[in-house]
Coordinates of all heavy atoms in Angstrom, one line a residue:
M1 N 9.8 -9.3 6.0 CA 9.8 -9.2 4.5 C 8.4 -9.6 4.0 O 8.1 -9.3 2.9 CB 10.9 -10.2 4.0 CG 11.3 -9.9 2.6 SD 12.0 -8.3 2.4 CE 12.3 -8.3 0.7
D2 N 7.7 -10.4 4.8 CA 6.3 -10.8 4.3 C 5.4 -9.6 4.1 O 4.7 -9.5 3.1 CB 5.7 -11.7 5.3 CG 6.4 -13.1 5.4 OD1 7.0 -13.5 4.4 OD2 6.3 -13.7 6.5
K3 N 5.5 -8.6 5.0 CA 4.7 -7.4 4.8 C 5.1 -6.6 3.6 O 4.2 -6.0 3.0 CB 4.7 -6.6 6.1 CG 4.0 -7.2 7.3 CD 3.5 -6.2 8.2 CE 2.8 -6.8 9.4 NZ 1.4 -6.7 9.3
F4 N 6.4 -6.6 3.3 CA 6.8 -5.9 2.1 C 6.3 -6.5 0.9 O 5.8 -5.8 0.0 CB 8.4 -5.9 2.1 CG 8.9 -5.1 0.9 CD1 8.9 -3.7 1.0 CD2 9.4 -5.7 -0.2 CE1 9.4 -2.9 -0.1 CE2 9.9 -5.0 -1.3 CZ 9.9 -3.6 -1.2
N5 N 6.3 -7.9 0.8 CA 5.7 -8.6 -0.3 C 4.2 -8.3 -0.4 O 3.6 -8.2 -1.5 CB 6.0 -10.0 -0.3 CG 7.5 -10.3 -0.5 OD1 8.1 -9.6 -1.3 ND2 8.0 -11.3 0.1
E6 N 3.5 -8.3 0.7 CA 2.1 -8.0 0.8 C 1.8 -6.6 0.2 O 0.9 -6.4 -0.5 CB 1.6 -8.1 2.2 CG 0.1 -7.9 2.4 CD -0.3 -8.0 3.9 OE1 0.5 -8.6 4.7 OE2 -1.4 -7.5 4.2
L7 N 2.7 -5.7 0.5 CA 2.6 -4.3 0.0 C 2.7 -4.3 -1.5 O 1.9 -3.6 -2.2 CB 3.6 -3.4 0.7 CG 3.6 -1.9 0.3 CD1 2.3 -1.2 0.7 CD2 4.8 -1.2 0.8
K8 N 3.7 -5.0 -2.0 CA 3.9 -5.0 -3.5 C 2.6 -5.6 -4.1 O 2.2 -5.1 -5.2 CB 5.1 -5.8 -3.8 CG 6.4 -5.1 -3.5 CD 7.6 -5.7 -4.0 CE 7.7 -7.2 -4.1 NZ 9.0 -7.8 -4.5
E9 N 2.1 -6.7 -3.6 CA 0.9 -7.3 -4.2 C -0.3 -6.4 -4.1 O -1.1 -6.4 -5.0 CB 0.6 -8.6 -3.4 CG 1.6 -9.7 -3.7 CD 1.4 -11.0 -2.8 OE1 0.4 -11.0 -2.1 OE2 2.3 -11.8 -2.8
L10 N -0.4 -5.7 -3.0 CA -1.5 -4.7 -2.9 C -1.5 -3.6 -3.9 O -2.5 -3.3 -4.6 CB -1.5 -4.1 -1.5 CG -2.7 -3.2 -1.1 CD1 -4.0 -3.8 -1.3 CD2 -2.5 -2.7 0.3
V11 N -0.3 -3.1 -4.2 CA -0.1 -2.1 -5.2 C -0.4 -2.6 -6.6 O -1.1 -2.0 -7.4 CB 1.3 -1.4 -5.1 CG1 1.5 -0.6 -6.4 CG2 1.5 -0.7 -3.9
A12 N 0.0 -3.8 -6.8 CA -0.3 -4.5 -8.1 C -1.8 -4.7 -8.3 O -2.3 -4.6 -9.4 CB 0.5 -5.8 -8.2
S13 N -2.5 -5.0 -7.2 CA -3.9 -5.3 -7.3 C -4.7 -4.0 -7.7 O -5.8 -4.1 -8.2 CB -4.4 -5.9 -6.1 OG -4.5 -5.0 -5.0
I14 N -4.1 -2.9 -7.3 CA -4.8 -1.6 -7.6 C -4.6 -1.1 -9.0 O -5.4 -0.3 -9.6 CB -4.3 -0.5 -6.6 CG1 -4.6 -0.9 -5.2 CG2 -4.8 0.9 -6.9 CD1 -3.9 0.0 -4.2
E15 N -3.6 -1.7 -9.7 CA -3.3 -1.2 -11.1 C -4.4 -1.3 -12.1 O -4.6 -0.3 -12.8 CB -2.1 -2.1 -11.6 CG -1.6 -1.6 -12.9 CD -0.3 -2.3 -13.3 OE1 0.1 -3.3 -12.7 OE2 0.2 -1.9 -14.4
A16 N -5.2 -2.3 -12.1 CA -6.3 -2.4 -13.1 C -7.3 -1.3 -12.8 O -7.8 -0.7 -13.8 CB -7.0 -3.7 -13.0
D17 N -7.7 -1.0 -11.5 CA -8.6 0.0 -11.2 C -8.0 1.4 -11.6 O -8.8 2.3 -12.0 CB -9.0 0.0 -9.8 CG -10.0 -1.1 -9.5 OD1 -10.8 -1.4 -10.3 OD2 -9.9 -1.7 -8.4
A18 N -6.7 1.6 -11.3 CA -6.1 2.9 -11.7 C -6.2 3.1 -13.2 O -6.5 4.2 -13.6 CB -4.7 2.9 -11.2
E19 N -5.9 2.1 -13.9 CA -6.0 2.2 -15.4 C -7.4 2.5 -15.8 O -7.6 3.4 -16.7 CB -5.5 0.9 -16.0 CG -5.6 0.8 -17.5 CD -4.6 1.8 -18.2 OE1 -3.5 2.0 -17.7 OE2 -4.9 2.2 -19.3
S20 N -8.4 1.9 -15.3 CA -9.8 2.1 -15.6 C -10.2 3.5 -15.2 O -10.9 4.2 -16.0 CB -10.6 1.1 -14.9 OG -12.0 1.2 -15.2
F21 N -9.7 4.0 -14.1 CA -10.1 5.4 -13.7 C -9.4 6.4 -14.6 O -10.1 7.3 -15.1 CB -9.7 5.6 -12.2 CG -9.9 7.0 -11.8 CD1 -11.1 7.5 -11.6 CD2 -8.8 7.9 -11.6 CE1 -11.3 8.9 -11.2 CE2 -9.0 9.2 -11.2 CZ -10.3 9.7 -11.0
Y22 N -8.1 6.3 -14.8 CA -7.4 7.3 -15.5 C -7.7 7.3 -17.0 O -7.7 8.4 -17.7 CB -5.9 7.2 -15.3 CG -5.5 7.7 -13.9 CD1 -5.1 6.9 -12.9 CD2 -5.7 9.1 -13.6 CE1 -4.7 7.3 -11.7 CE2 -5.3 9.6 -12.3 CZ -4.9 8.7 -11.4 OH -4.6 9.1 -10.1
S23 N -7.8 6.1 -17.6 CA -8.0 6.1 -19.1 C -9.5 6.1 -19.5 O -9.8 6.6 -20.6 CB -7.3 4.9 -19.7 OG -7.9 3.7 -19.2
K24 N -10.4 5.6 -18.6 CA -11.8 5.5 -19.0 C -12.7 6.4 -18.2 O -13.9 6.5 -18.5 CB -12.2 4.0 -18.9 CG -11.5 3.1 -19.8 CD -11.9 1.6 -19.5 CE -11.0 0.7 -20.3 NZ -11.2 -0.7 -19.9
G25 N -12.1 7.0 -17.2 CA -12.9 7.9 -16.4 C -13.9 7.2 -15.5 O -14.9 7.8 -15.1
N26 N -13.7 5.9 -15.2 CA -14.6 5.2 -14.3 C -14.5 5.6 -12.9 O -13.5 5.4 -12.2 CB -14.2 3.7 -14.5 CG -15.1 2.8 -13.7 OD1 -15.8 3.2 -12.7 ND2 -15.2 1.5 -14.2
K27 N -15.5 6.3 -12.4 CA -15.5 6.9 -11.1 C -15.5 5.9 -10.0 O -14.9 6.0 -8.9 CB -16.6 7.9 -10.9 CG -16.4 9.1 -11.7 CD -17.5 10.1 -11.5 CE -17.3 11.3 -12.4 NZ -18.2 12.4 -12.2
A28 N -16.2 4.7 -10.2 CA -16.2 3.7 -9.2 C -14.8 3.1 -9.0 O -14.3 2.8 -7.9 CB -17.2 2.6 -9.6
A29 N -14.1 3.0 -10.1 CA -12.7 2.5 -10.0 C -11.8 3.5 -9.3 O -10.9 3.1 -8.5 CB -12.1 2.3 -11.4
G30 N -12.1 4.8 -9.4 CA -11.3 5.8 -8.6 C -11.6 5.6 -7.2 O -10.6 5.8 -6.4
T31 N -12.8 5.3 -6.8 CA -13.1 5.0 -5.4 C -12.3 3.8 -4.9 O -11.7 3.8 -3.8 CB -14.6 4.8 -5.2 OG1 -15.3 6.0 -5.6 CG2 -14.9 4.5 -3.7
R32 N -12.2 2.8 -5.7 CA -11.5 1.6 -5.3 C -10.0 1.9 -5.2 O -9.3 1.4 -4.3 CB -11.7 0.5 -6.3 CG -13.1 -0.1 -6.2 CD -13.3 -1.4 -7.0 NE -13.1 -1.2 -8.4 CZ -14.1 -0.8 -9.3 NH1 -15.3 -0.6 -8.8 NH2 -13.8 -0.7 -10.6
V33 N -9.5 2.8 -6.1 CA -8.1 3.2 -6.0 C -7.8 3.9 -4.7 O -6.8 3.6 -4.0 CB -7.7 4.0 -7.2 CG1 -6.3 4.7 -7.0 CG2 -7.7 3.2 -8.5
R34 N -8.7 4.8 -4.3 CA -8.5 5.6 -3.1 C -8.5 4.6 -1.9 O -7.7 4.8 -1.0 CB -9.6 6.7 -3.0 CG -9.3 7.8 -3.9 CD -10.2 9.1 -3.7 NE -11.1 9.0 -2.6 CZ -12.5 8.9 -2.7 NH1 -13.0 8.8 -3.9 NH2 -13.3 8.8 -1.7
T35 N -9.5 3.7 -1.9 CA -9.6 2.7 -0.8 C -8.3 1.9 -0.7 O -7.8 1.6 0.3 CB -10.8 1.9 -1.0 OG1 -12.0 2.7 -1.0 CG2 -11.0 0.8 0.1
G36 N -7.9 1.4 -1.9 CA -6.7 0.6 -1.9 C -5.4 1.3 -1.4 O -4.6 0.8 -0.7
F37 N -5.3 2.6 -1.8 CA -4.1 3.4 -1.3 C -4.2 3.7 0.1 O -3.2 3.9 0.8 CB -3.9 4.6 -2.2 CG -3.1 4.2 -3.4 CD1 -3.6 4.2 -4.7 CD2 -1.7 3.9 -3.2 CE1 -2.8 3.9 -5.8 CE2 -0.9 3.5 -4.3 CZ -1.5 3.5 -5.6
Q38 N -5.4 3.7 0.7 CA -5.5 3.9 2.2 C -5.0 2.7 2.8 O -4.3 2.8 3.8 CB -7.0 4.1 2.6 CG -7.2 4.4 4.1 CD -6.5 5.7 4.5 OE1 -6.5 6.7 3.8 NE2 -5.8 5.7 5.6
K39 N -5.3 1.5 2.3 CA -4.7 0.2 2.8 C -3.2 0.2 2.6 O -2.5 -0.2 3.5 CB -5.3 -1.0 2.1 CG -6.8 -1.2 2.4 CD -7.3 -2.3 1.6 CE -8.8 -2.5 1.9 NZ -9.4 -3.5 1.0
V40 N -2.7 0.7 1.5 CA -1.2 0.8 1.3 C -0.6 1.7 2.3 O 0.4 1.4 2.9 CB -0.9 1.4 -0.2 CG1 0.5 1.8 -0.3 CG2 -1.3 0.4 -1.2
K41 N -1.2 2.8 2.6 CA -0.7 3.8 3.6 C -0.6 3.1 5.0 O 0.4 3.2 5.6 CB -1.6 5.0 3.7 CG -1.2 6.0 4.8 CD -2.3 7.1 4.9 CE -2.0 7.9 6.1 NZ -3.1 8.7 6.5
N42 N -1.7 2.4 5.4 CA -1.7 1.7 6.7 C -0.6 0.6 6.7 O 0.1 0.5 7.7 CB -3.1 1.2 7.0 CG -4.1 2.3 7.2 OD1 -3.7 3.4 7.5 ND2 -5.3 2.0 6.9
L43 N -0.5 -0.2 5.7 CA 0.5 -1.2 5.7 C 1.9 -0.7 5.7 O 2.8 -1.2 6.4 CB 0.2 -2.2 4.5 CG 1.1 -3.4 4.4 CD1 1.0 -4.2 5.6 CD2 0.7 -4.2 3.1
A44 N 2.1 0.4 4.9 CA 3.4 1.0 4.9 C 3.8 1.5 6.3 O 5.0 1.4 6.7 CB 3.5 2.1 3.8
Q45 N 2.8 2.1 7.0 CA 3.1 2.6 8.3 C 3.5 1.4 9.3 O 4.4 1.5 10.1 CB 1.9 3.3 8.9 CG 2.1 3.9 10.2 CD 3.1 5.0 10.3 OE1 3.3 5.7 9.3 NE2 3.8 5.1 11.4
E46 N 2.8 0.3 9.1 CA 3.2 -0.9 9.9 C 4.6 -1.3 9.6 O 5.3 -1.7 10.5 CB 2.2 -2.1 9.6 CG 0.8 -1.9 10.2 CD -0.1 -3.1 9.8 OE1 0.5 -4.2 9.6 OE2 -1.3 -2.9 9.6
I47 N 4.9 -1.4 8.3 CA 6.3 -1.8 7.9 C 7.3 -0.8 8.5 O 8.3 -1.2 9.1 CB 6.4 -1.8 6.4 CG1 5.5 -3.0 5.9 CG2 7.9 -2.0 6.0 CD1 5.4 -3.0 4.4
R48 N 7.0 0.5 8.4 CA 7.9 1.5 8.9 C 8.1 1.4 10.4 O 9.2 1.4 10.9 CB 7.3 2.9 8.6 CG 8.1 4.1 9.0 CD 7.4 5.3 8.5 NE 8.2 6.5 8.8 CZ 8.1 7.2 10.0 NH1 7.2 6.8 10.9 NH2 8.8 8.2 10.2
Q49 N 7.1 1.1 11.2 CA 7.2 0.9 12.6 C 8.0 -0.4 12.9 O 8.8 -0.3 13.8 CB 5.8 0.8 13.3 CG 5.1 2.1 13.3 CD 3.6 2.0 13.7 OE1 3.1 0.9 13.7 NE2 3.0 3.1 14.1
G50 N 7.8 -1.4 12.2 CA 8.6 -2.6 12.4 C 10.1 -2.4 12.1 O 10.9 -2.9 12.8
V51 N 10.4 -1.7 11.0 CA 11.8 -1.4 10.7 C 12.4 -0.6 11.9 O 13.5 -0.8 12.3 CB 11.9 -0.6 9.4 CG1 13.3 0.0 9.2 CG2 11.5 -1.5 8.2
T52 N 11.7 0.4 12.4 CA 12.2 1.2 13.5 C 12.5 0.4 14.7 O 13.5 0.6 15.3 CB 11.2 2.4 13.8 OG1 11.0 3.2 12.6 CG2 11.7 3.2 14.9
E53 N 11.5 -0.5 15.0 CA 11.7 -1.4 16.2 C 13.0 -2.3 16.0 O 13.8 -2.4 16.9 CB 10.5 -2.3 16.4 CG 9.3 -1.6 16.9 CD 8.1 -2.5 17.0 OE1 8.2 -3.7 16.9 OE2 7.0 -1.9 17.2
L54 N 13.1 -2.9 14.8 CA 14.3 -3.7 14.6 C 15.6 -2.9 14.7 O 16.6 -3.3 15.2 CB 14.2 -4.4 13.2 CG 13.2 -5.6 13.2 CD1 13.1 -6.0 11.7 CD2 13.7 -6.7 14.1
K55 N 15.6 -1.7 14.1 CA 16.8 -0.8 14.1 C 17.2 -0.5 15.5 O 18.3 -0.5 15.9 CB 16.5 0.4 13.3 CG 17.7 1.4 13.2 CD 17.3 2.6 12.5 CE 16.4 3.4 13.4 NZ 16.5 4.8 13.4
N56 N 16.2 -0.2 16.4 CA 16.4 0.2 17.7 C 16.9 -0.9 18.6 O 17.6 -0.7 19.6 CB 15.2 0.9 18.3 CG 15.0 2.3 17.7 OD1 15.9 2.9 17.2 ND2 13.8 2.8 17.8
K57 N 16.5 -2.1 18.3 CA 16.9 -3.3 19.0 C 18.4 -3.6 18.9 O 19.0 -4.1 19.8 CB 16.1 -4.6 18.6 CG 14.8 -4.7 19.2 CD 14.2 -6.0 18.7 CE 12.8 -6.2 19.3 NZ 12.2 -7.5 18.9
E58 N 18.9 -3.2 17.7 CA 20.3 -3.5 17.4 C 21.2 -2.6 18.1 O 22.4 -2.8 18.2 CB 20.5 -3.4 15.9 CG 19.9 -4.4 15.1 CD 20.0 -4.3 13.6 OE1 20.6 -3.3 13.2 OE2 19.5 -5.1 12.8
K59 N 20.7 -1.5 18.7 CA 21.6 -0.5 19.3 C 22.0 -1.0 20.7 O 21.6 -1.8 21.4 CB 20.9 0.8 19.5 CG 20.8 1.6 18.2 CD 20.2 2.9 18.4 CE 20.2 3.7 17.1 NZ 19.7 5.0 17.2

């Protein structure tokens, strides 16, 4: 559950840059958004693998 909370915090931390990119056209903020979502993708994959491992242990 710790990784899930970390994922939520990571998405929340990207929000300001996303707002800056979409509403103000700040290209540097767009780069930070893309970098942040790459981290989200990697963390989500870790969570997914962990869930699969736990699910398979129960069988």
